[in-house]
Amino acid sequence: MLALEFVLETLSHFVKLDESPPPGVPAYAEGEFERDLLRLCRRQKLSPIVANSLMHLALPPGLSRIALQRLNDEAVHIDDNNARLSEKLGLIVSSFRKKGIPCMACGEAVYATDLYPLSNLRAVEKIDLLVREGDWVGIEECLRTVRFEKAIGRGAIKTPDEALQFHQFYAPCVYRDADGDRIRVFFRVFDFGRPEANEKAWNRAREAGALAGGGKILGVEDELIRAAMELNILGFGNLLLITDVALLLVKFGRQTDWGYLEERLRSSGLYPAVYFTIQHVGDFLKVPRLWEVLRHPGRIRQRIFENVWGLGNKDFYNPGRSARTPLVFHMIERQGLAERISVMRRILFPNSNWVNAFFGRQCNGRLRIEFIGRALGAKWEDGVEMREAHKSA
C-alpha cells in the first residue's frame, strides 16, 4: 500500500501543475516497495509521470538503479508508441482533409498534447475520432487509404443511418492496422443508446494546436463528459483517466461553460453520473472544487452512487477487475425508464440486418442468440478474433 500512497501523492502534485518539489520516495519504504511501485506503474502506464517526477528531485530518489532503469525503459517504450500513433493520426487527418470530410480528434491523443506538459508523459493506446454519419462511405475509404481495416463485423453497412444505429446500440466502430494499432470512430459524444438528432459538439470545436495533423479537437466540456463516462465504465480504477479528468479541471476549469455541460447532461439523463464522477476525481487528487458551480444532484443520490460503484474499494494493481460495459453503465445511471426499456428492447430483439452485418452471413436463430450474448457482454472484438482463429484451425 505504501507504493500506492506514493503514486497517488505524486499524481496529486503533478495535476496541480506547479513548480514546487515533487514528493520523494519515503525513507521508511520496505523491500517490497520497489516491486509494488514497478507493478503499479506498469499496469497503470504511469512510468513516464513517476520517472519524470523523480528526475526533478534535488536529492537522489532513493530507488535502486535497476528500478530506475525499468521505469525509464517503460517510459521510452511509451514514448515510441506515442510517436508511432501520432504519425498515423497525422496521416488519417490528412486523408480526411483531402476528401473534404470533417473530423475531430479526441481522447488519449488529445489529452497527451492538450493537457500534459510533455506529450510523452501520457500513454496513448488508441486514436479516437468524432465524425458525421453522413460521411460514412468516405470515412471507410479514408481509413482504408491509411491501411486500417474494420476490426468488428464482417458484413457491409451500406447507409449512414445503418452505421449510426448499429454502432450506437451494438458494436463500437473500431478499425485496426497490421501493427495492431486501433482507431475508434464514433458519431455522438453520447455514443451508446438512442442517438441525439444532432451532435452539438461540432459547434464547440477547438483548434488542435500541437496535435499531429492539426485540424479540430473536441471542446473542453464535451471532452470532460467523455472522460468522466469512460472512467465510470472502466470502474474508477484507471489512474491515468483519473489524472486526465483532474487535468481538465485544473487547466480548463475556469474557462469551462458549466451551463452548457449541465444542460447536455440533463438532456441525456446522465447528469448525476458525470457530476459525481467529477467530484470523486476532484476529491481523490485534491484539486480545486470548480465544479461546485453546478447544482448538486442530492445527498441520497450521492450515497446510492458511491455504494453502487464501490468508490472506496478499488484494486489499482488490477485496474480492469472492476470494469463494466456501456450497457451496465447506462442501465444504472441513465435517468428515464423509457430510455432504458428502449435500449434493452434493441439489445434483446436485434434487427436481422445487424446480425448479418456482424457475422457477414444470413441471420439464423443460433447466430441471433450469439449476437445478443455478445451485445450483453460487449464481447465484439473477441468474437471476431475467436471465429477467425477457429476458421484458421
Side-chain angles (χ1 to χ4, degrees):
M1 290 301 293
L2 187 59
L4 176 59
E5 292 174 5
F6 167 69
V7 167
L8 294 182
E9 187 179 353
T10 298
L11 293 178
S12 181
H13 177 272
F14 175 76
V15 300
K16 292 179 175 61
L17 302 175
D18 61 30
E19 299 297 326
S20 62
V25 174
Y28 51 87
E30 299 178 355
E32 294 184 350
F33 174 85
E34 287 191 0
R35 183 198 65 187
D36 291 343
L37 177 64
L38 294 174
R39 183 162 63 102
L40 182 63
C41 288
R42 182 177 66 254
R43 294 188 176 180
Q44 294 279 357
K45 301 191 180 301
L46 294 172
S47 296
I49 295 175
V50 173
N52 181 266
S53 176
L54 294 174
M55 285 174 55
H56 288 83
L57 294 173
L59 299 174
L63 291 178
S64 69
R65 180 183 58 81
I66 294 176
L68 288 172
Q69 187 62 50
R70 287 184 179 176
L71 284 174
N72 288 323
D73 287 347
E74 288 177 19
V76 169
H77 173 73
I78 287 172
D79 187 23
D80 291 342
N81 190 66
N82 285 11
R84 186 183 70 254
L85 284 171
S86 177
E87 181 179 358
K88 291 181 180 181
L89 175 58
L91 293 174
I92 293 164
V93 172
S94 177
S95 176
F96 275 64
R97 186 181 295 118
K98 288 178 182 177
K99 209 163 183 65
I101 296 176
C103 67
M104 274 196 288
C106 52
E108 299 170 12
V110 172
Y111 301 154
T113 59
D114 197 42
L115 297 179
Y116 287 71
L118 298 171
S119 62
N120 60 359
L121 296 180
R122 207 294 179 191
V124 179
E125 295 187 292
K126 67 179 186 304
I127 296 169
D128 290 336
L129 291 177
L130 178 68
V131 296
R132 289 188 169 103
E133 68 272 14
D135 298 315
W136 174 247
V137 175
I139 290 165
E140 290 212 300
E141 291 177 359
C142 287
L143 293 178
R144 282 196 294 268
T145 299
V146 291
R147 300 183 179 181
F148 276 83
E149 299 292 338
K150 187 188 298 183
I152 299 175
R154 300 177 59 168
I157 297 176
K158 299 177 182 178
T159 69
D161 187 63
E162 284 180 336
L164 176 63
Q165 296 295 322
F166 181 69
H167 293 302
Q168 281 284 140
F169 285 98
Y170 302 106
C173 189
V174 177
Y175 289 77
R176 184 182 284 121
D177 68 0
D179 296 326
D181 293 326
R182 297 193 308 152
I183 297 174
R184 169 76 187 274
V185 172
F186 59 101
F187 307 108
R188 300 289 187 271
V189 168
F190 300 103
D191 59 346
F192 183 87
R194 181 167 52 86
E196 295 177 306
N198 299 296
E199 178 49 70
K200 299 177 182 178
W202 290 102
N203 299 324
R204 307 180 71 86
R206 296 178 290 153
E207 294 297 326
L211 193 68
K216 301 289 186 179
I217 60 176
L218 207 60
V220 170
E221 297 81 9
D222 293 303
E223 198 69 88
L224 182 56
I225 289 171
R226 287 193 72 250
M229 289 195 300
E230 185 176 4
L231 176 59
N232 193 315
I233 291 169
L234 292 178
F236 294 94
N238 189 307
L239 290 175
L240 207 49
L241 258 178
I242 288 176
T243 304
D244 296 335
V245 175
L247 285 171
L248 280 165
L249 292 172
V250 170
K251 192 168 183 179
F252 297 111
R254 299 189 188 281
Q255 308 166 32
T256 298
D257 185 345
W258 294 104
Y260 166 81
L261 183 142
E262 180 171 347
E263 186 276 329
R264 284 219 72 177
L265 290 170
R266 288 192 182 278
S267 65
S268 70
L270 288 168
Y271 179 67
V274 173
Y275 180 96
F276 291 130
T277 299
I278 292 173
Q279 177 178 269
H280 171 69
V281 170
D283 293 342
F284 193 71
L285 292 184
K286 303 178 179 63
V287 302
R289 303 177 66 86
L290 299 174
W291 67 89
E292 289 190 337
V293 299
L294 299 172
R295 286 174 286 180
H296 195 285
R299 301 300 172 189
I300 294 177
R301 185 68 181 80
Q302 180 176 353
R303 285 198 292 271
I304 293 173
F305 181 87
E306 292 170 348
N307 290 332
V308 166
W309 303 123
L311 298 186
N313 185 28
K314 296 299 174 187
D315 183 1
F316 293 107
Y317 289 92
N318 297 286
R321 179 172 295 175
S322 56
R324 54 193 67 93
T325 67
L327 176 61
V328 170
F329 168 72
H330 283 267
M331 285 297 101
I332 293 175
E333 289 298 337
R334 187 181 285 274
Q335 296 177 312
L337 181 61
E339 178 66 20
R340 298 175 188 175
I341 292 174
S342 174
V343 170
M344 284 307 301
R345 183 183 294 121
R346 289 288 192 111
I347 298 296
L348 297 176
F349 303 98
N351 187 301
S352 297
N353 290 339
W354 309 144
V355 183
N356 297 343
F358 180 64
F359 291 106
R361 59 183 187 270
Q362 193 65 32
C363 172
N364 58 40
R366 183 182 63 81
L367 292 180
R368 184 182 294 275
I369 290 173
E370 182 178 346
F371 183 83
I372 294 170
R374 296 290 178 189
L376 293 173
K379 297 295 184 181
W380 301 109
E381 289 188 79
D382 288 343
V384 173
E385 290 162 1
M386 287 170 62
R387 280 193 299 281
E388 289 295 322
H390 179 70
K391 183 178 177 182
S392 299

